[in-house]
Amino acid sequence: MGDKTPSCQHGNTGTPQGDTGPVAFARAYAGLPLPATLNWWWTFGAVLVAVLGLMLATGLFLALTYTPDAGLAFSSVESIERRVPYGWLLRAMHMTGASFCMAALYVHILRGLYYRSYLPPRRAVWGSGCALMAMLMVTAFAGYVLPWGQMSYWGADVAGRAVATLPLVGGWLGRMVLGGENPGTATLHRMFVLHFALAFVIIGGIALHVMVLHRRGSSSPSGRLVSARDRMLPFHPYFTVRDMLAVVLVALAFVLVMGLWPELIAEPANYRPANPLHTPVDIEPEWYFLPFYGMMQVVPYQLGGVLLAGGAVAVLFAVPWLDRGGRAGEHPIVRLLALALMVVAAVMAASAGRHHAQGVWLLAGRVAIAVYYAYFLLFLPWLGGAGLPDAQDDDEKEARA
Amino acid sequence: MSRFMVACAAARSVRGVRLVLAGVLLLAAPGLAAADSKPGAPPAWSFNGPLGHFDLESVQRGYAVYAAVCSACHGLEQVHFSDLAGMGLKVEDIQALSAARQIADGLDAQGRVQRRPARPDDRILSPYVSPAAARAANGGVVPPDLSRIVMVRPGGASRIYSLLTGYAPNAQWQDDRGFRNPYGINNFTAMPPPLHDGGVQYADGTAPTATQQARDVTTFLAWISAPHQDERRRLGVGAGLYLCFLAALFMILTRRIWSHVRK
C-alpha cells in the first residue's frame, strides 16, 4: 500500500492550458493541494458553510411569513410556530442554526489562533475571515431583534444606547440604528433589511475567503511555511470525505439539541411580547455575545465599556500584525495554555455578564478583560518576537500566483 | 366521540361558570375556596424530559377546564381555535366549540361593541375589551395571557400546578395584596381560588376533583405553550438515528479513502 501513497504538487497541475469552462474550474478547486497533516480542527470551515447554507434556506422561508412591524412581528412569529405548515421546524432550525453557526465560528477562529493560520502569506485569509465574523455578528444580532419579544426589544435598546455613547457620531448613529429614540417599527424594518441583505453579502464574503485561501494555500498544523517537503493531498476525495463526516457529526449534535434539548439555546423571556413599559430584571444577550456584554458591564465608564467590548472583537483584525511570526512551530504547550487562558477569560467575562457584574463578579469580569487582552497584546507579540525571516512572502506569493 | 362530548360539555358550562366567577370576583367571596386545596407536590409530568410526550386525553380535559373556568379572565391571544386540532379534535368539534364562544366583532351603528359566535380561524381572545377593563374588573391587575405561560413563567408547569392547588384553606382577599398562596409572587396572587371539586363536568367520566382539574389544565397549558413539542422530539429521535447510520457510513468511507495514505 505504501508505494501507492498519492501526492500532489504545489499549485494546480494537470489542467490543460486554455481550458476555462466550469468543469475545469470545479476540477481545479477539487484538486487543491492540502497538507496531509491537516487535522480535524480544519473541518470547521466546511461545517460553517453547511450551517450557513441551512440558515439561508430556512431564513428565506421564514421571511415569507414574518412581518417587520412592532404591532405584528410577535404574532407573525407565533403563527410561524403554531400554524404555518412545518413553521415550527423552520424556526427551530433557524434558531438552533444561529447558535451552532456562532459556535462553529468560534472554534474556527480558535483553530486559526492556535495554529497561527494568520501568518504570512495568509494575512488576507485571516482579514477576510475577520470581516465575515463581524458581519455574522451583526446579522445574528439583527436576527435576534426580529421576533420582538422582551429580550429582542431590550437588547435593541441596550445596543442603541451603547452605540449612542460613542463620541461625535454616537447620537446620530444610535438614531440611525433604531430609527428613532426608542426601538419600534422603524427598528424592525432596519433590522430585517440588515439581516436579509447581510446574509447575501456574507455569501459573497465566503466566496472571497475561499478564493483567497486557494491563492495563498492552506495553513498546516506544523505552523511552519508549507515547503516542498510536505506531502500534499488533493482536496477531493481526501478532505471532502472528512468534511462530510464532520458535517454529519455536527448535524447529529444539531438535531439532538433542536429536537430533545431546545432549552439549551432558547431564551424563554423572548416568548413574552415586547413591552416598552416593563424593563426585564435580567437583560441578557444570547450566549455568543455574553463575553462582550460582560466586558461592557464591568467597566465603570459607559464609553470605556463599549470600547473595550468592541475592541475585544476588533483586536482579532490586528492579530497578524501583533504576532510577527517568530518561533514558528515552537512552544505548542505554551500556546495551548495561553489560548486556554484566553478562553477561560472569555467564559469568565460571560459569567460576569450573567450576574449583573456585582461584587465578586465585577472583579472577575475585570480580571477577565485583562487576561483576554493580555493574550493579544502581550503573549502574541512575545511569541512572534523574533519576526519572520521572509515577512515579505505575501507579495512574493501573490506575484507567483 | 368522547372528545366531542368533552368539547360540548365545556361549551355548555362556559356561561354558567363565568357568571359564578364574575360573582366571585365582585364579592371576593371567601367561602368558595377549594375544599382540598392542599399545597400538594406536583405530579410527575409525562411531557417532561427529552423523551416526554403529552397525554392528549388530559390535554383535552384541560381545555374543558380552561373553557369553563380560566377563559372567564384569561385569553390565549396567540392561539386560533383551529390550532386546537393538534390536541386531537376533529374539524366539526372545533366548529362546535368555537361557535359556543361569543367574541367582539367591531362596533355597530350606535358605537356599541357587537358580538358574534367565534369561528375556527378566530383568536381565543381575553374576555375583556381592553387592558383597562381587565384591570378594573380584577383589583388593578390584568390577568396574564396564557399562550406561553408555562414557557415564560419561572418554574414552568409544576409552579402553575402548585399555584392552582396551593391556596390556604378559606383564602381571603387581603387589602392590596391578593390571596395568600406560597407559589404566587411574594406569596400572594390576585387570582381567586379558581378550581373547585365538581366545578367542571368531564365527558369521559373522570372524577372532576380540584386536583384532577389542576393537573389537566396544567397539562393543557404546557401543551398550548409548545404544541409541536411531541412532533419535534419524534423528529429529533428519528433524524438522530438516521444521522448515526450516515455517520457510520462516512466513517467507513473516510477510513477506506485515507487507508491509502502512509502515516
Side-chain angles (χ1 to χ4, degrees), chain B residues 109-120:
Chain B
Q110 278 75 45
R112 289 179 303 234
V113 175
Q114 289 192 103
R115 294 192 167 268
R116 63 164 170 83
R119 290 188 287 262

Side-chain angles (χ1 to χ4, degrees), chain B residues 145-170:
Chain B
D145 184 75
L146 301 182
S147 306
R148 292 274 188 186
I149 196 78
V150 170
M151 191 179 276
V152 301
R153 279 291 157 105
S158 296
R159 172 91 178 272
I160 286 168
Y161 175 86
S162 301
L163 179 75
L164 289 172
T165 55
Y167 289 91
N170 303 319

Side-chain angles (χ1 to χ4, degrees), chain A residues 23-391:
Chain A
V23 177
F25 180 78
R27 195 175 293 143
Y29 265 65
L32 175 78
L34 293 166
T37 51
L38 292 193
N39 60 33
W40 285 89
W41 296 110
W42 264 264
T43 59
F44 276 84
V47 169
L48 267 169
V49 169
V51 179
L52 284 168
L54 181 78
M55 295 300 278
L56 189 76
T58 52
L60 281 175
F61 283 99
L62 289 171
L64 295 180
T65 305
Y66 176 72
T67 313
D69 180 286
L72 302 170
F74 188 84
S75 323
S76 75
V77 173
E78 280 280 339
S79 75
I80 289 172
E81 287 240 336
R82 289 179 186 277
R83 61 193 75 88
V84 169
Y86 287 98
W88 61 270
L89 180 58
L90 287 174
R91 178 144 195 260
M93 288 200 285
H94 207 68
M95 281 173 67
T96 315
S99 277
F100 269 73
C101 191
M102 296 307 281
L105 176 71
Y106 288 160
V107 173
H108 194 59
I109 291 172
L110 289 174
R111 190 270 292 160
L113 280 176
Y114 176 67
Y115 292 110
R116 302 170 82 191
S117 305
Y118 46 77
L119 292 181
R122 275 172 287 277
R123 279 179 178 167
V125 182
W126 180 263
S128 61
C130 284
L132 276 171
M133 171 198 68
M135 286 194 289
L136 259 179
M137 285 178 158
V138 172
T139 310
F141 170 77
Y144 195 63
V145 174
L146 297 182
W148 212 233
Q150 273 289 71
M151 284 301 142
S152 301
Y153 180 92
W154 292 100
D157 189 68
V158 168
R161 275 171 219 287
V163 170
T165 57
L166 294 175
L168 300 177
V169 292
W172 172 81
L173 203 61
R175 281 192 296 278
M176 187 73 189
V177 170
L178 295 185
E181 299 297 331
N182 293 305
T185 297
T187 317
L188 279 176
H189 278 90
R190 278 159 167 75
M191 293 301 157
F192 189 44
V193 171
L194 197 65
H195 188 69
F196 204 96
L198 270 183
F200 295 93
V201 179
I202 285 171
I203 291 179
I206 292 171
L208 204 71
H209 189 61
V210 172
M211 210 179 75
V212 178
L213 173 74
H214 276 241
R215 283 228 161 172
R216 301 287 166 88
S218 173
S219 56
S220 77
S222 71
R224 288 183 298 275
L225 286 174
V226 178
S227 67
R229 289 197 313 277
D230 288 328
R231 191 143 49 89
M232 306 294 267
L233 292 172
F235 179 53
H236 182 74
Y238 293 95
F239 297 96
T240 42
V241 72
R242 190 191 260 181
D243 285 350
M244 281 305 294
L245 177 52
V247 167
V248 169
L249 289 175
V250 170
L252 181 60
F254 186 99
V255 296
L256 290 181
V257 169
M258 183 185 81
L260 307 184
W261 289 280
E263 61 276 6
L264 287 177
I265 48 128
E267 168 61 55
N270 219 28
Y271 287 88
R272 291 173 189 268
N275 184 353
L277 302 177
H278 181 258
T279 315
V281 186
D282 300 296
I283 303 179
E284 173 179 305
E286 290 286 80
W287 66 266
Y288 40 82
F289 289 137
L290 262 180
F292 310 108
Y293 181 73
M295 290 182 193
M296 200 166 85
Q297 298 279 303
V298 295
V299 178
Y301 316 104
Q302 211 180 4
L303 177 61
V306 171
L307 290 180
L308 274 179
V313 179
V315 74
L316 285 165
F317 282 89
V319 161
W321 288 273
L322 293 169
D323 181 352
R324 302 299 301 174
R327 306 178 216 256
E330 293 172 31
H331 305 304
I333 306 290
V334 178
R335 279 187 292 141
L336 187 64
L337 276 176
L339 192 71
L341 260 178
M342 190 270 271
V343 172
V344 168
V347 173
M348 228 157 80
S351 312
R354 289 196 74 166
H355 290 89
H356 292 282
Q358 285 164 345
V360 68
W361 285 113
L362 190 68
L363 188 70
R366 288 175 182 174
V367 171
I369 293 185
V371 173
Y372 181 90
Y373 273 97
Y375 177 83
F376 292 99
L377 302 181
L378 296 177
F379 176 71
L380 287 185
W382 169 80
L383 183 67
L388 202 65
D390 44 355

